[in-house]
Amino acid sequence: MRKKHIDIVSVCEMVSIIALAVYAFRDLPFTFYQQDEWVSLGLVKIGGIGVEWSKFPLYLHLVGLNRPFSTLIKYSVFHVFGAGVVPWALFALFVHTINGLLIRKVSRLLGIPHLLATVAGLFYVACYTSHQSVSWLATSFTALPSLFFILLSIIFALKKKRMWCIVCAVISYYFKESSIAWMPLLPIFSVSKQDLKGLKDELIRYTGLFIFIAAIIVVRIGEIFINGWKSQLAVTTLSGTPMMGILINALLYPLISFSETFIPLSVMRSVTSLVFQSRYQSLVQVENIRMVQELMMTDIVGLWGTLLLCIVLCIVVFYGKKYRFAILISSSLLVASFIPFSLVNRSGEYLDSRYFSFAAAAGGVLIAGLIASCIELFNKTKKVRFFIIISIALFMVGYLYKQSVFIIRDIRHQRIIGDERRNMLQSIRNLYPDLPEKPVLYATGSAESFYGVSGMRLPLQQGPGFTLMVLFYDTGKIPKKIIYDMSFWGILEQGYFEDGSQGFGYYHSFDLLKKDSCNNKFNSDQIRGFYYDSTDHKVIDITNDIVLRIGNCIQ
Amino acid sequence: MKKLIPFASVALSLFAFAVAFKDLSHVYFLNDEWLQMGDVFTKGLYAGIRSDILLQLIGRFRFIGSLINNVFFYYFPGNAMPFVLFGYIAHSLNIILTYYLVKKMTKNLLLSLICTLSIAIPTSGQQALSWFSAVVQTTVSITFVYLAFLFRPLTLAKEKKIFIVLSLFFFYIAFLFKNSCIFALPLLLFFPYFFSQNKVDPIYFIKKYTAFFLLFLGFVGWNMYLLFQFRSISEIISATQILIRIAFNSIWYPFISISHMMVSPRSLFHISERFGVFLYQFLGVAANKDILVVTIVSDMISILLSFLFIGFFLFVYVKMKHRRKLFIFGLLWYVLSFLPMAMYLPERNTAFLESRYLYFSIFGFGLIFSVTVEHMLHTLRGFIGFKPSISIMVVLLSLFYWKQISFVQRDVYENVLYSKDIENLISDMNNMLPKLPEKPIFYISGDRNFFYQNNMVPFQYGTGYMTLMAFRHRSEIPKKLIRDTYLSRFLEEGYTDFGQEGFGYYWQKESLCNLFRNSSLRTDQIIGLYYVGNERKLTDITDGTRKEISLKCID
């Protein structure tokens, strides 16, 4: 009887995780491709998986460059369900939810009570800081499955099925390289949780895993020595050697991002401005206050947050024995998850949101462990314990609700942008059912800039030329090779390319279009022009007008 | 042999102190000293000492310290030597007392030596010696605090009333020298609790010394009252804010200053600059880079360093079970010593607190540091045996203290350079102008800024006041203006005339011109001086200035 009762409870708990995930990400299927998705889409159209794999030599695939497994699964989804947004979104949401359940499982296996293990899963599914790993469809084929497999391998490690553990870890690596940071910690899961006895033996049993890690690192570093840092890293070279920058990042990112995992960006912003105004009164007048406040103060507040968390951790770990292992291992995972990203530079206050997916998983377990330990500490005094439980419960409900509201708001915003993009592209497609041979597209619009890029008159985050090529690919007039070379991918790229009997051109500057046309790069009857009215969201055909204006030079 | 070690330790510390402060005798008066010198010059020996005895006796005005300063200024006019000697003697005394105090507390020669060395080379508190405004009050105050602790009997059983009375008497003297040493009173009362052989109930102390604790609380409360003195609702609100600020600062200051205990500001700023430019690309080109580096970025580095130190100390605390009470005592001393600063120092100019305030805190930090060194020695001995570990530690500590000494030397030398500029400029002025006109009006210009925009001479006080002080013995200079601290703020200018006497100082030619346009002053009152900043050379431009003024400004 009792067993059945528990089963119902755990089913309810699992349903609550699924429900929260669906609630927070409910608008996801209605969004639209944001940016990198267009590359995949283009490559799919010109030839499928073979094309993408041919971009790199085999040995680089073997060390995980270009994430072969995620490519594979991406094309499988395309193949089976077509290239719409909905299957992508559903896939992302599905894996995300499964991950939430796995985190609950991991927490259970680490000895955390089932209710709090559910909190761990809930925290992960509704973590605002990491939400981009789900809501940005391009990353949902890398980070999410990678996390799925590494969580599986943790579960296998906890159950001492070492072979399966290693296999899953390796699979996870081929989905996203950053999972390598968690691998060295896997053997710890297999040892006794009280005193870490037998760690040496376990390390020996996991030799295969360490050989894999070592091989990967050697090849990747060797690759850097052979081909240079150029495409591998985004670390600035301002400081001279990138090595120095990586070291600083490797030290700083874990310290700052540790607490940022738990603090949604908008909350952080208000805290930051408060702190800045009260602590640095003499600096409030400086002219670059926005930069100072956003970048420097966020880091300082992040450091403070981490410091506070560390103090709490120390106290809890010092006094509470029961959940010590869970807390320590999850904070190690949390710290380790940021190390791979020391290779990239931040573009905003936080690291890019999608890099937090692993951190959110570890953070969920950490929160669950901390709460469990706090309650354990007050086990003796019933009244205090009751009060503590009530206040933590209220806080967690509010916290999770607020986080999911932030996510909903963000995705709704994406949805509005996505609708605009979808409508615009659909109108353009409808405007020209067919294109001339070697088409040259000219686009202009009423907006001066989009997303802070001046001269960008269409609501797109990537090169409109590339987008239009993919959009019109099924007319049969677009040369494959130009898509393959990713021409026009840069946000302001324009020009005209030919490949054999085919050609394609895209311009947003009329002067350049006219100049190239006058230089006889192409004829005026190849040109198709449109105007995007960003207030009424309408696309207007201006081909005749353009041809007329260019006509002068030809005469 | 055993008897020789204390002697040798003290001698070593004194030697280190002498090396670190070898340039102290070249330091001259910098800024606030001139104000007090002027005060004594015009008002006599008892200048600035209030007559209300009651307030004096409850420590409001530090009258003993002021009196000693006045004696130095009165009997050795314009001579910094008494201050130098006083600093040397008082600090040497402090070193000796520290050694015997720590020996009394721990009965351990190593701890005594390390803590004494930290006191002897006060990297963070060097200003207490090298700035003559502070030297008398700060150093002697702590001398008496040490005496109070030395006389306090450690065991309760053999308690002798006379020692307790003496101890409290010394503490009271220390209090009269500098009232901020009051923070040590609770520690003094609890002293046997920390270091007595038999266990004592802390409640016992509170009961026994209720009167003193009440006195302490009363004093703190009274100072709080003086700080607020609210009369309306809005003042109560701002008082709450102040209270929050005090609470925050009393944790924040000790935390951030841990990293400042062993680093000189200049080195930290240097690291911060490189770090900041790497981390925040906008900083490299920002016009306000310097101020951002010394405030926010330095704060960040300090937080990081403090993090490291605290982590390490925590480790030591956990490991060194038999030294925990000493550790706590040091920590309390260190944290409590920041209480006066938390109350009276709302904002810091840079990441660093004023160096002279930290002179008290070093003792607490020294205790913690010495336990850390002991722990390191223990650990090393476990690995490589007694003699090799000793020799390694000696090498490490020598390197460490050598670095500390060089930090102090550089900071002191900086003051030497600043004060030499002032001293030379004053003597140059006197040599250049053996005779002043009646009611002189100085026009002083130059080609370089010192400290502030348009401050063309290396004075650290208003140039007008400093000129008055430079010529204070001349009969043409009105003493009344010195008494009124006329033109003592930076960039202040003006002219005052009362019957027989008058004085003026200008750095802007237009203001000088306006003065002459509207009055019947004679141009031969003008003295023009020009300071070539980089060569530190003074030139006489009296004739040119007089001609220019009479041509341009007098019709």
Side-chain angles (χ1 to χ4, degrees), chain A residues 245 255 279-281 288 299, chain B residues 249 278 280 288 299 304 347:
Chain A
L255 278 178
R279 301 308 307 170
Y280 297 96
Q281 277 157 5
N288 44 7
D299 288 353
Chain B
N249 282 346
F278 166 76
Y280 309 105
N288 49 6
D299 267 358
L304 284 174
E347 211 180 347

Side-chain angles (χ1 to χ4, degrees), chain A residues 128-129 260-269 350 399 403 406:
Chain A
Y128 176 78
T129 310
E260 287 175 348
T261 311
F262 305 100
I263 309 172
L265 188 57
S266 44
V267 175
M268 177 59 106
R269 281 193 181 135
Y350 280 19
Y399 180 62
Q403 297 245 37
F406 284 135

Side-chain angles (χ1 to χ4, degrees), chain A residues 491-513:
Chain A
I491 193 153
L492 288 176
E493 256 182 78
Q494 52 182 344
Y496 177 76
F497 293 108
E498 280 194 4
D499 177 48
S501 60
Q502 286 184 313
F504 179 79
Y506 167 77
Y507 292 89
H508 55 80
S509 148
F510 180 76
D511 294 337
L512 192 66
L513 176 75

Side-chain angles (χ1 to χ4, degrees), chain A residues 365-426:
Chain A
V365 182
L366 179 62
I367 279 196
L370 275 181
I371 297 176
S373 212
C374 280
I375 294 173
E376 188 210 357
L377 284 186
F378 294 99
N379 232 346
K380 279 173 192 157
T381 41
K382 277 266 161 64
K383 270 185 189 165
V384 179
R385 181 165 175 247
F386 180 73
F387 175 72
I388 294 269
I389 290 177
I390 290 292
S391 45
I392 287 178
L394 283 178
F395 172 77
M396 278 318 286
V397 168
Y399 180 62
L400 290 173
Y401 173 72
K402 200 72 202 163
Q403 297 245 37
S404 50
V405 166
F406 284 135
I407 295 177
I408 290 171
R409 211 177 286 165
D410 227 60
I411 294 183
R412 199 160 282 162
H413 180 65
Q414 278 306 324
R415 186 176 165 179
I416 293 167
I417 295 175
D419 282 344
E420 187 182 0
R421 285 178 188 160
R422 198 196 317 254
N423 288 338
M424 180 192 74
L425 292 173
Q426 197 59 48

